[in-house]
Amino acid sequence: MAKDFENEVPGGEDPEANASGSDPQEGAGADELTVDDILGAEQNADAAAEDAVLADLESALLTDLKRLQAEYANYRRRTEEQREVEIERAQGAVAKGLLPVLDDLDRAEKHGDLEAGSAFAAIAEKLRGVAERIGLTTYGAAGEAFDPQQHEAIFQVPTPGATEQTIIEVVEIGYRLGSVELRPAKVVVAVPAE
């Protein structure tokens, strides 16, 4: 007797029985698993060990991610601080280059060379405007109290009736860029006469 292997279906079922359209899942109701059955089932030891390894790996990756995020935040902060320092340094270099020109303009103004409406006066105003826009400010004026932290006394004049050290004349104006002193004011100081 020769077996017909071509028409044989695994599991010993007749091929015509499958073709008849009957659903093999009908009647298997006792063997079906529900979602609650699957979620409530206990894990075997191999699955629990694999979950522990995955949890350790996930924890290590999360730790690495947090470390990288902190390093990146520190890098951004350092870069921003360094950028601000470089901007201030560049502005300081420009401002220091302008100081001799501004001194010449002050001297020209004291001598009457900057007549209102002249081309030279217009250029002087534009240059002073640029200095102001970059944050350059002046300090040191006659009548102010002398402060050795801000002023450089080049000469002291004993003055009768003076009770404290006071600036009589400003020889060279002091300049600041923001809170940084670029040059102290050079002044003549009135001191109390003895």
Side-chain angles (χ1 to χ4, degrees), residues 89-144:
R89 191 173 293 155
Q91 286 176 336
V94 168
K96 280 188 176 183
L98 286 176
L99 294 184
V101 177
L102 293 171
D103 288 339
D104 290 343
L105 290 176
D106 289 336
R107 288 185 200 102
E109 190 172 30
K110 285 180 183 176
H111 289 92
D113 293 338
L114 292 179
E115 295 177 15
S118 70
F120 192 49
I123 292 170
E125 286 306 310
K126 286 181 182 178
L127 189 59
R128 287 179 177 147
V130 168
E132 189 176 308
R133 277 194 304 276
I134 65 173
L136 195 61
T137 56
T138 61
Y139 69 95
E144 287 182 4

Side-chain angles (χ1 to χ4, degrees), residues 44-58:
N44 63 20
D46 292 339
E50 186 177 320
D51 282 352
V53 168
L54 288 175
D56 289 345
L57 182 59
E58 182 180 324

Side-chain angles (χ1 to χ4, degrees), residues 1-72:
M1 273 211 214
K3 272 194 152 187
D4 185 13
F5 289 107
E6 290 178 9
N7 291 329
E8 191 173 321
V9 175
E13 295 180 8
D14 186 15
E16 283 84 26
N18 282 341
S20 67
S22 64
D23 190 2
Q25 291 181 351
E26 291 176 8
D31 292 341
E32 274 189 38
L33 293 176
T34 64
V35 173
D36 292 332
D37 291 339
I38 294 171
L39 293 176
E42 290 186 28
Q43 281 187 323
N44 63 20
D46 292 339
E50 186 177 320
D51 282 352
V53 168
L54 288 175
D56 289 345
L57 182 59
E58 182 180 324
S59 175
L61 290 173
L62 186 60
T63 302
D64 286 347
L65 178 63
K66 287 179 181 178
R67 181 184 49 78
L68 286 173
Q69 284 177 329
E71 285 178 6
Y72 181 67

Side-chain angles (χ1 to χ4, degrees), residues 173-193:
I173 294 175
Y175 287 97
R176 287 190 188 107
L177 183 62
S179 62
V180 177
E181 185 175 293
L182 296 178
R183 182 178 76 191
K186 294 181 181 176
V187 295
V188 176
V189 180
V191 294

